[in-house]
Amino acid sequence: MVMFQEMALRNDQSESLKGQEHNKGVKHLCEMGIIKVPKKYILPTLERPDNSITTELHDVTNLKLPVIDFAELHGPNHEQLITSLAHACQNYGFFQVINHGISSNVLSEMIDVARRFFELPLKEREKYMSTDVHSLVRYGTSFNQMKDGVLCWRDFLKLVCTTEAHSQWPSSPLDFRVMGVEYARETKMLFQSLMEAILESLGFEEKNTHNKTPKTNQESGNDNYHNKREENYDNIKKDIGDGSQLMVVNCYPPCPEPELTFGMPPHSDYGFLTLLLQDEVEGLQILHKDHWVTIKPHPQSFVVNIGDHLEILSNGRYKSVMHRVLANSKKSRISVASLHSLAFTAVIRPWPMLINDENPKRYKDTDFADFVQYITTCDSKHKNFLESRKLTDIYT
C-alpha cells in the first residue's frame, strides 16, 4: 500500500512539474517544496549510486589522497616533491595541494559569494540561463540538460575566464564579479606552477633547471636532442600561460531521495588540470582500483585531478580518473571547479619524446571542438571523452 501511495504522490508531483520546470534547475524545485524526486531524475535501479561498480568499500574507505605540500617546490625537498607528484599522477590521478599560496580569505570569500549567488531569486539566476555550450556565462542544471536521459541533482554557473568575458559575469551579488575575477587570477597562477612541476616530472627540460648542472656532450649523447627537449618545454610553457580557463560554480541542494540519483554522474574532465575548491560537505567520489571512494574535504586545500588532455600529452603515463558526486538529503553543497587547458583552438597530442617502439602513440590528436561535439552527442550513460580519443589498435 505504501509503495502505491508513493507512486501516486510522485505522479501527482510530476503532473505539477509539467511545463519544463525541471529546466529551471533543482534549486528551483527545492524552492517549490518538492518532497519526492521527480521521475526525470530517477536512475534505473542498476545505475544508482549503491549499485554501480562495487559497494565493497571496506578496504578503501580510509584512503587518503596524496598530499602535495607546495611550499616545498622551491626548497631543499624539491626533488622529493617532484617524485611524489609523479606518483600521485600515475597511481591516483588525484591529489590534494596544501600551502599553495592562495590566502584563506580568497578561498572562503569565493565559497561565500558562490553560495549567495544560488540564494538569489530565480528571476535573477535565470538571467544567465542558456543551453548554448559556447556562452561566456551560462547558468544551467544537470550535466547536459538537453541530452541527459536522466537529469542529475546539480545546478551550475559556468564562467569563461577571459578579460572580455568578465564584464558579462553576474553583477549580483554585488561582490561576485570582483571576487570571481580575483579567484580566477589566483587559481590560474597556481595551475601554471603546478604544470611546471608536472612537466618536470615527465622529463621536460628547462635551461638551468633546479639543482641541475649543464651536461657534457658525452653525458647527453647529443646536444641537438637536449635542445629539442628544451624547445618543447619552452613552447608548451608558453601555451600553458596563454591557455584557457573555465570556472564552474556548482550547487547541490538537499535531495529528498539521494539514493535514486546523482549530483554528477561518473565522468572525467577534459582539460589538463582541474582545481577544486569545496565547502565542508562531502560528495565527491573517485574511482580507485574499481571502488568508489569518498574524498573528505579539507579546509584551505585544493583537490586537483588530472584531465583527459594531460593523459593524452603524457601518452597514458598520467591518468585521468573517473569521478562522480553523490547527492545528500541534509545540506546544500557548494564547490568551485577551475578547469585549465591550452587555448580552445589548440591541438593536444602526445608528447613525441614519450613515444617509442615500447610505448607507441596511444591517442588521437584532439581539440576543444572535438570535446564539444562529444558532449553534445553522447548519451547520459557514457561521459568518458578520453575513451573516444584512444587509438583502438593499441588496445586490441
Side-chain angles (χ1 to χ4, degrees), residues 1-12 36:
M1 178 64 72
V2 173
M3 180 181 70
F4 288 115
Q5 289 175 338
E6 290 185 352
M7 290 177 61
L9 178 59
R10 202 181 306 279
N11 288 335
D12 290 344
K36 290 288 182 182

Side-chain angles (χ1 to χ4, degrees), residues 85 88-90 92-95 187-188 190-200 202 204 232-246 268-276 303-321 323 338-352 354 363-368 371 385-386:
L85 191 57
C89 294
Q90 282 184 281
Y92 292 84
F94 273 77
F95 53 90
T187 51
K188 178 66 177 284
L190 177 58
F191 160 71
Q192 290 175 295
S193 297
L194 281 168
M195 278 304 303
E196 287 183 24
I198 288 172
L199 291 175
E200 182 180 343
L202 281 170
F204 282 72
N232 268 276
Y233 178 91
D234 291 339
N235 289 341
I236 196 162
K237 184 177 177 181
K238 181 181 184 304
D239 289 342
I240 286 170
D242 296 337
S244 63
Q245 179 180 9
L246 180 68
S268 61
D269 292 346
Y270 82 93
F272 270 4
L273 292 178
T274 298
L275 280 60
L276 181 73
V303 174
V304 179
N305 65 280
I306 305 303
D308 298 341
H309 286 175
L310 185 50
E311 179 166 335
I312 291 172
L313 179 77
S314 70
N315 202 35
R317 181 184 297 184
Y318 291 170
K319 305 302 181 186
S320 176
V321 173
H323 49 288
S338 187
L339 295 92
H340 300 264
S341 192
L342 302 189
F344 291 125
T345 56
V347 175
I348 313 296
R349 55 176 59 91
W351 184 39
L354 296 177
Y363 304 90
K364 306 172 188 175
D365 296 356
T366 189
D367 58 19
F368 186 68
F371 175 72
F385 170 67
L386 192 63

Side-chain angles (χ1 to χ4, degrees), residues 12-116:
D12 290 344
Q13 183 175 266
S14 295
E15 285 295 320
S16 68
L17 292 180
K18 285 184 177 179
Q20 305 299 307
E21 290 294 323
H22 58 271
N23 284 333
K24 298 179 182 179
V26 287
K27 186 74 165 57
H28 173 62
L29 297 184
C30 292
E31 291 166 349
M32 291 176 64
I34 64 167
I35 58 175
K36 290 288 182 182
V37 172
K39 287 182 178 180
K40 190 71 175 174
Y41 296 84
I42 299 177
L43 290 162
T45 302
L46 294 179
E47 296 175 24
R48 293 174 189 172
D50 288 342
N51 294 318
S52 55
I53 307 293
T54 178
T55 56
E56 299 175 4
L57 296 177
H58 58 279
D59 59 337
V60 288
T61 47
N62 294 321
L63 174 76
K64 292 184 179 179
L65 287 181
V67 176
I68 303 300
D69 185 346
F70 219 53
E72 302 285 354
L73 182 65
H74 301 294
N77 295 325
H78 175 90
E79 295 297 334
Q80 181 180 339
L81 179 139
I82 297 300
T83 300
S84 298
L85 191 57
H87 177 78
C89 294
Q90 282 184 281
N91 297 284
Y92 292 84
F94 273 77
F95 53 90
Q96 294 203 33
V97 177
I98 61 173
N99 296 325
H100 39 69
I102 301 179
S103 74
S104 58
N105 284 343
V106 170
L107 302 185
S108 60
E109 288 173 4
M110 187 64 227
I111 288 291
D112 177 66
V113 78
R115 191 183 310 279
R116 285 187 282 120

Side-chain angles (χ1 to χ4, degrees), residues 290-302:
D290 293 329
H291 295 272
W292 286 109
V293 185
T294 298
I295 303 303
K296 295 183 179 298
H298 288 280
Q300 311 305 322
S301 72
F302 284 95

